[in-house]
Amino acid sequence: TAVKPDGKVTYVFAPTPEYKKYLTKLTMDQAIKTIRNRIDQFGVAEPDIRKQQGNRIQVQLPGMQDPERAIKIIAQKGIVAPGRELTVIMHRLPDGSYIEKPIVLKKDAMLTGEYITDAQTRFDQFNQPYVTLNFNSRGARIFERVTGENIKKRMAIVLDGKVYSAPTIQDK
């Protein structure tokens, strides 16, 4: 808990490490089941599908003659909805290094950097960095509309093709 200068108390709720581990296992098991069901379409005698370190899945298809088709079927809709794409978010670790985690985004950007007139790094009351953005008048109108239409949804911040942040929009 934290008490703000205005006297309001802020509570931060987070899942326990055990629950995160449980959800990760559940998600991985479901992904493996989905991949196995899709691979069964090929009639591959003994597919080898196994979990790897770092929440990765290894798929080996002995005797598979058309690997491109296999990739398309494994990654087909159902994992990623139409108009969306699977990419990675750069998750910062306590030591300052980054690891990649999967995230699904809309394919078309709602707002691009062409409307940004200034960007600066600032630090909050807990010494955590954040970025302030200033937009030109058109960018400000777009940002206002986009945030107003997407409250409680995430907005990805993409730099050089990589997602570095995807905060939840709290207000217009």
Side-chain angles (χ1 to χ4, degrees):
T1 62
V3 179
K4 294 184 175 185
D6 63 4
K8 292 182 181 176
V9 177
T10 303
Y11 293 93
V12 178
F13 294 94
T16 63
E18 293 81 16
Y19 188 69
K20 284 183 180 180
K21 189 175 180 180
Y22 164 77
L23 285 179
T24 300
K25 181 185 180 320
L26 193 67
T27 303
M28 290 294 289
D29 290 345
Q30 181 61 49
I32 288 172
K33 181 179 178 183
T34 301
I35 291 169
R36 187 172 305 282
N37 289 339
R38 291 178 180 175
I39 287 173
D40 286 346
Q41 298 177 42
F42 291 106
V44 175
E46 294 185 34
D48 182 13
I49 306 165
R50 63 176 83 180
K51 294 180 193 178
Q52 297 281 298
Q53 194 171 25
N55 295 327
R56 299 173 62 92
I57 299 171
Q58 176 182 337
V59 178
Q60 292 182 339
L61 305 173
M64 181 69 198
Q65 299 301 318
D66 191 354
E68 291 300 318
R69 182 168 173 254
I71 290 168
K72 283 180 184 174
I73 289 196
I74 291 169
Q76 71 187 356
K77 293 177 186 171
I79 293 178
V80 179
R84 312 249 178 200
E85 65 182 328
L86 181 65
T87 187
V88 294
I89 185 169
M90 303 305 292
H91 179 74
R92 188 170 187 203
L93 299 175
D95 68 3
S97 64
Y98 287 89
I99 59 169
E100 296 179 346
K101 290 187 168 190
I103 187 171
V104 176
L105 303 178
K106 289 183 178 176
K107 280 191 179 180
D108 298 322
M110 300 172 113
L111 182 69
T112 65
E114 69 185 286
Y115 302 108
I116 296 174
T117 58
D118 187 39
Q120 294 183 16
T121 302
R122 305 272 187 200
F123 293 89
D124 68 14
Q125 65 201 33
F126 303 107
N127 208 28
Q128 294 297 308
Y130 67 95
V131 176
T132 62
L133 300 173
N134 290 319
F135 298 99
N136 63 22
S137 60
R138 183 158 186 243
R141 285 191 304 274
I142 294 169
F143 191 74
E144 179 182 41
R145 179 183 54 78
V146 168
T147 56
E149 293 171 355
N150 293 281
I151 292 172
K152 302 299 179 201
K153 296 180 184 173
R154 294 176 79 184
M155 176 184 282
I157 311 299
V158 182
L159 180 63
D160 298 328
K162 292 188 178 184
V163 180
Y164 280 88
S165 180
T168 301
I169 299 169
Q170 299 297 327
D171 203 354
K172 183 175 177 179

Short mmCIF file of all heavy atoms in Angstrom, two decimals, residues 6-30:
data_model
loop_
_atom_site.label_atom_id
_atom_site.label_comp_id
_atom_site.label_asym_id
_atom_site.label_seq_id
_atom_site.Cartn_x
_atom_site.Cartn_y
_atom_site.Cartn_z
N ASP A 6 -2.34 13.45 -1.44
CA ASP A 6 -3.71 13.91 -1.23
C ASP A 6 -4.46 13.07 -0.20
O ASP A 6 -5.66 13.26 0.03
CB ASP A 6 -4.49 13.95 -2.55
CG ASP A 6 -4.62 12.58 -3.19
OD1 ASP A 6 -4.19 11.57 -2.59
OD2 ASP A 6 -5.17 12.52 -4.30
N GLY A 7 -3.77 12.12 0.42
CA GLY A 7 -4.37 11.29 1.45
C GLY A 7 -5.01 10.01 0.96
O GLY A 7 -5.45 9.19 1.75
N LYS A 8 -5.08 9.83 -0.36
CA LYS A 8 -5.68 8.62 -0.91
C LYS A 8 -4.71 7.45 -0.74
O LYS A 8 -3.50 7.61 -0.84
CB LYS A 8 -6.00 8.79 -2.39
CG LYS A 8 -7.12 9.78 -2.65
CD LYS A 8 -7.43 9.88 -4.12
CE LYS A 8 -8.53 10.89 -4.37
NZ LYS A 8 -8.78 11.06 -5.81
N VAL A 9 -5.26 6.28 -0.48
CA VAL A 9 -4.46 5.09 -0.31
C VAL A 9 -4.54 4.25 -1.58
O VAL A 9 -5.62 4.04 -2.14
CB VAL A 9 -4.95 4.25 0.90
CG1 VAL A 9 -4.14 2.97 1.03
CG2 VAL A 9 -4.87 5.07 2.17
N THR A 10 -3.40 3.81 -2.06
CA THR A 10 -3.33 2.98 -3.25
C THR A 10 -2.94 1.56 -2.86
O THR A 10 -1.97 1.37 -2.13
CB THR A 10 -2.27 3.52 -4.24
OG1 THR A 10 -2.60 4.88 -4.54
CG2 THR A 10 -2.23 2.71 -5.51
N TYR A 11 -3.72 0.61 -3.33
CA TYR A 11 -3.41 -0.80 -3.10
C TYR A 11 -3.00 -1.42 -4.42
O TYR A 11 -3.60 -1.15 -5.46
CB TYR A 11 -4.64 -1.56 -2.57
CG TYR A 11 -5.05 -1.12 -1.19
CD1 TYR A 11 -6.01 -0.13 -1.02
CD2 TYR A 11 -4.49 -1.70 -0.06
CE1 TYR A 11 -6.40 0.27 0.25
CE2 TYR A 11 -4.87 -1.31 1.21
CZ TYR A 11 -5.83 -0.33 1.35
OH TYR A 11 -6.20 0.07 2.61
N VAL A 12 -1.99 -2.24 -4.39
CA VAL A 12 -1.54 -2.95 -5.59
C VAL A 12 -1.75 -4.44 -5.35
O VAL A 12 -1.22 -5.00 -4.39
CB VAL A 12 -0.05 -2.66 -5.89
CG1 VAL A 12 0.40 -3.44 -7.11
CG2 VAL A 12 0.17 -1.17 -6.09
N PHE A 13 -2.56 -5.04 -6.21
CA PHE A 13 -2.83 -6.47 -6.11
C PHE A 13 -2.08 -7.17 -7.23
O PHE A 13 -2.11 -6.73 -8.37
CB PHE A 13 -4.33 -6.76 -6.25
CG PHE A 13 -5.13 -6.21 -5.11
CD1 PHE A 13 -5.72 -4.95 -5.19
CD2 PHE A 13 -5.28 -6.93 -3.94
CE1 PHE A 13 -6.45 -4.43 -4.16
CE2 PHE A 13 -6.01 -6.42 -2.88
CZ PHE A 13 -6.59 -5.16 -2.99
N ALA A 14 -1.42 -8.25 -6.90
CA ALA A 14 -0.68 -9.02 -7.90
C ALA A 14 -0.83 -10.50 -7.58
O ALA A 14 -0.92 -10.88 -6.41
CB ALA A 14 0.79 -8.62 -7.88
N PRO A 15 -0.87 -11.33 -8.63
CA PRO A 15 -0.97 -12.77 -8.37
C PRO A 15 0.30 -13.29 -7.71
O PRO A 15 1.39 -12.76 -7.91
CB PRO A 15 -1.15 -13.37 -9.76
CG PRO A 15 -0.66 -12.34 -10.71
CD PRO A 15 -0.82 -11.02 -10.05
N THR A 16 0.13 -14.35 -6.93
CA THR A 16 1.29 -14.96 -6.28
C THR A 16 2.15 -15.65 -7.34
O THR A 16 1.66 -16.01 -8.41
CB THR A 16 0.85 -16.02 -5.25
OG1 THR A 16 0.16 -17.07 -5.95
CG2 THR A 16 -0.05 -15.41 -4.18
N PRO A 17 3.42 -15.87 -7.04
CA PRO A 17 4.28 -16.59 -7.98
C PRO A 17 3.72 -17.98 -8.31
O PRO A 17 3.81 -18.44 -9.45
CB PRO A 17 5.62 -16.69 -7.26
CG PRO A 17 5.62 -15.53 -6.31
CD PRO A 17 4.19 -15.35 -5.90
N GLU A 18 3.11 -18.62 -7.31
CA GLU A 18 2.55 -19.97 -7.54
C GLU A 18 1.39 -19.90 -8.54
O GLU A 18 1.27 -20.76 -9.41
CB GLU A 18 2.05 -20.59 -6.22
CG GLU A 18 3.14 -20.90 -5.22
CD GLU A 18 3.58 -19.68 -4.42
OE1 GLU A 18 2.87 -18.65 -4.40
OE2 GLU A 18 4.68 -19.74 -3.84
N TYR A 19 0.55 -18.87 -8.42
CA TYR A 19 -0.58 -18.74 -9.33
C TYR A 19 -0.09 -18.41 -10.75
O TYR A 19 -0.62 -18.93 -11.73
CB TYR A 19 -1.55 -17.67 -8.84
CG TYR A 19 -2.83 -17.62 -9.65
CD1 TYR A 19 -3.74 -18.68 -9.59
CD2 TYR A 19 -3.12 -16.55 -10.47
CE1 TYR A 19 -4.90 -18.65 -10.33
CE2 TYR A 19 -4.28 -16.51 -11.21
CZ TYR A 19 -5.17 -17.56 -11.14
OH TYR A 19 -6.32 -17.54 -11.88
N LYS A 20 0.92 -17.56 -10.86
CA LYS A 20 1.50 -17.26 -12.18
C LYS A 20 2.04 -18.53 -12.81
O LYS A 20 1.86 -18.78 -14.01
CB LYS A 20 2.62 -16.23 -12.05
CG LYS A 20 2.15 -14.82 -11.85
CD LYS A 20 3.36 -13.89 -11.81
CE LYS A 20 2.95 -12.46 -11.62
NZ LYS A 20 4.10 -11.56 -11.58
N LYS A 21 2.72 -19.35 -12.00
CA LYS A 21 3.28 -20.61 -12.50
C LYS A 21 2.16 -21.54 -12.97
O LYS A 21 2.25 -22.16 -14.02
CB LYS A 21 4.11 -21.27 -11.39
CG LYS A 21 4.90 -22.46 -11.84
CD LYS A 21 5.79 -22.97 -10.70
CE LYS A 21 6.58 -24.16 -11.13
NZ LYS A 21 7.45 -24.67 -10.07
N TYR A 22 1.08 -21.60 -12.19
CA TYR A 22 -0.07 -22.42 -12.54
C TYR A 22 -0.69 -21.95 -13.87
O TYR A 22 -0.98 -22.76 -14.76
CB TYR A 22 -1.12 -22.36 -11.42
CG TYR A 22 -2.48 -22.85 -11.82
CD1 TYR A 22 -2.74 -24.21 -11.93
CD2 TYR A 22 -3.51 -21.96 -12.09
CE1 TYR A 22 -3.99 -24.66 -12.32
CE2 TYR A 22 -4.76 -22.40 -12.47
CZ TYR A 22 -5.00 -23.75 -12.59
OH TYR A 22 -6.23 -24.20 -12.97
N LEU A 23 -0.89 -20.64 -14.03
CA LEU A 23 -1.46 -20.11 -15.26
C LEU A 23 -0.55 -20.36 -16.46
O LEU A 23 -1.03 -20.68 -17.56
CB LEU A 23 -1.74 -18.61 -15.13
CG LEU A 23 -2.94 -18.22 -14.28
CD1 LEU A 23 -3.07 -16.70 -14.23
CD2 LEU A 23 -4.22 -18.84 -14.82
N THR A 24 0.74 -20.20 -16.27
CA THR A 24 1.69 -20.46 -17.36
C THR A 24 1.62 -21.91 -17.79
O THR A 24 1.57 -22.21 -18.98
CB THR A 24 3.12 -20.09 -16.91
OG1 THR A 24 3.14 -18.71 -16.58
CG2 THR A 24 4.13 -20.38 -18.00
N LYS A 25 1.59 -22.83 -16.82
CA LYS A 25 1.49 -24.26 -17.14
C LYS A 25 0.19 -24.56 -17.87
O LYS A 25 0.17 -25.26 -18.88
CB LYS A 25 1.59 -25.11 -15.88
CG LYS A 25 1.52 -26.61 -16.16
CD LYS A 25 1.50 -27.43 -14.88
CE LYS A 25 1.43 -28.91 -15.11
NZ LYS A 25 0.57 -29.38 -16.16
N LEU A 26 -0.91 -23.99 -17.40
CA LEU A 26 -2.21 -24.20 -18.02
C LEU A 26 -2.21 -23.70 -19.47
O LEU A 26 -2.68 -24.39 -20.38
CB LEU A 26 -3.28 -23.45 -17.20
CG LEU A 26 -4.72 -23.77 -17.47
CD1 LEU A 26 -5.05 -25.20 -17.04
CD2 LEU A 26 -5.60 -22.79 -16.70
N THR A 27 -1.65 -22.52 -19.68
CA THR A 27 -1.58 -21.94 -21.02
C THR A 27 -0.69 -22.78 -21.94
O THR A 27 -1.06 -23.04 -23.10
CB THR A 27 -1.04 -20.49 -20.94
OG1 THR A 27 -1.89 -19.75 -20.07
CG2 THR A 27 -1.00 -19.84 -22.30
N MET A 28 0.45 -23.19 -21.44
CA MET A 28 1.35 -24.02 -22.25
C MET A 28 0.71 -25.36 -22.60
O MET A 28 0.79 -25.82 -23.74
CB MET A 28 2.68 -24.25 -21.51
CG MET A 28 3.54 -23.02 -21.40
SD MET A 28 4.14 -22.44 -22.99
CE MET A 28 5.33 -23.72 -23.36
N ASP A 29 0.04 -25.99 -21.63
CA ASP A 29 -0.63 -27.26 -21.90
C ASP A 29 -1.70 -27.10 -22.96
O ASP A 29 -1.85 -27.94 -23.85
CB ASP A 29 -1.23 -27.84 -20.62
CG ASP A 29 -0.18 -28.33 -19.63
OD1 ASP A 29 1.00 -28.48 -20.03
OD2 ASP A 29 -0.54 -28.55 -18.45
N GLN A 30 -2.46 -26.00 -22.90
CA GLN A 30 -3.51 -25.75 -23.90
C GLN A 30 -2.89 -25.50 -25.27
O GLN A 30 -3.40 -25.99 -26.28
CB GLN A 30 -4.38 -24.55 -23.48
CG GLN A 30 -5.49 -24.25 -24.47
CD GLN A 30 -6.46 -25.40 -24.63
OE1 GLN A 30 -6.93 -25.95 -23.66
NE2 GLN A 30 -6.77 -25.77 -25.87
#
